[in-house]
Amino acid sequence: MEEMFDEIAPRYDLLNRLLTFRLDTRWRRRAVAALGLQPGETVIDVACGTGDLCNEIESAGLRPIGVDFSAGMLAAATTGAPLLRSDALSLGVRDASLDGATCGFALRNFASLGPFFAELFRVLRPGARVALLEVAEPANPLLRFGHQMYFGKVVPAVGSLLSSRSAYRYLPESVAYLPEVPVLLAQLAEAGFLHVDREALSGGIAQLITATRAG
C-alpha cells in the first residue's frame, strides 16, 4: 500500500483536480468550515498526502499538522505545515492535545475504522471537532449509474495514462471496503463522538462526516 502511494505522489494533485473537475477544492473548503473552530486552534490532518487539506486549514486561520505513512507523499508535499510520517493508528501526539481532526478520502484504505476512530478520540480534547471526507455513491439511480461508469472506467484509464494503472484501478475498487453509512456513523458514536452527521456533496458523489468529541 505504501509503495502504491509513493508511486502516485508526483502527479497526485494534478489527477485530483483533473478527475474531480476541481470539485475536490470545494469539498476540502467545506470540510474545514464544518469544523467551526476559532483562529489559532490546532487541527491534525490524517493521511494528509501532499498537504492540500493542510493548506485549506491554514487558509482558515487554523494551525495544521499533517500526518501520512507515505514518505513519497510527504516528499512531494506543497504545504508549509509541520508534517509527520506516522501510522494513523498511532499518531504520535499527546492525549487530548488537539482542537480538530480531518481526513480526506482515506477511510476506505483502513482495514478497520474502529481503531482509527479510537485514536482520534485519544488525541482530541473534549469538544474538539472532526471532519472526514470520503467518496460516495449518489442515491439517484441515473446519477449512480453515470458515477459508476466514470469512477470504474474513466478514472482508471486517465490514471494509467498519467500515473499508475494499478493504483488508479485500486482507488475506485476500494470504495467496496467502506462500511454502509449507518454502520460508519455508529462506529464514530461507539468511539465516543457526539453529534455525528453526514452531508452528501455534489449530488452524492462525495460525503462529509462530522462529529464532536465527547467530554
Side-chain angles (χ1 to χ4, degrees):
M1 182 76 75
E2 182 181 343
E3 291 180 358
M4 181 187 75
F5 283 102
D6 287 349
E7 182 182 5
I8 66 175
R11 293 193 169 181
Y12 185 68
D13 291 343
L14 170 64
L15 279 163
N16 280 346
R17 303 296 180 276
L18 182 63
L19 293 171
T20 68
F21 303 97
R22 297 191 66 86
L23 286 172
D24 63 312
T25 60
R26 184 185 304 175
W27 298 335
R28 281 191 291 273
R29 194 173 304 121
R30 177 73 190 95
V32 173
L35 290 171
L37 298 177
Q38 297 299 311
E41 293 190 301
T42 302
V43 179
I44 190 166
D45 180 35
V46 184
C48 66
T50 57
D52 272 351
L53 197 40
C54 285
N55 289 334
E56 198 64 52
I57 292 166
E58 190 169 30
S59 294
L62 303 169
R63 297 169 55 198
I65 300 171
V67 176
D68 204 290
F69 78 136
S70 166
M73 284 289 184
L74 296 178
T78 57
T79 179
L83 300 176
L84 175 66
R85 188 183 181 196
S86 178
D87 190 288
L89 303 185
S90 181
L91 291 173
V93 298
R94 292 180 290 108
D95 293 0
S97 60
L98 302 171
D99 304 300
T102 57
C103 182
F105 305 101
L107 296 182
R108 63 190 187 277
N109 296 320
F110 287 89
S112 176
L113 286 172
F116 171 54
F117 294 155
E119 179 67 355
L120 287 184
F121 185 89
R122 181 188 71 80
V123 302
L124 294 173
R125 63 166 175 78
R129 292 279 292 163
V130 171
L132 311 172
L133 283 169
E134 191 47 272
V135 296
E137 288 196 334
N140 180 282
L142 186 59
L143 288 176
R144 184 165 63 248
F145 175 77
H147 178 257
Q148 288 171 345
M149 292 298 294
Y150 180 77
F151 208 42
K153 302 294 185 183
V154 177
V155 167
V158 175
S160 67
L161 287 174
L162 299 179
S163 185
S164 163
R165 179 176 179 80
S166 60
Y168 281 89
R169 286 181 61 189
Y170 162 77
L171 291 173
E173 293 170 354
S174 64
V175 178
Y177 303 130
L178 271 178
E180 294 293 325
V181 170
V183 175
L184 181 57
L185 302 185
Q187 288 179 334
L188 262 174
E190 289 166 5
F193 290 90
L194 305 173
H195 312 301
V196 181
D197 194 20
R198 175 189 182 269
E199 177 185 356
L201 305 174
S202 300
I205 64 174
Q207 58 185 324
L208 171 61
I209 297 162
T210 55
T212 302
R213 201 266 204 197

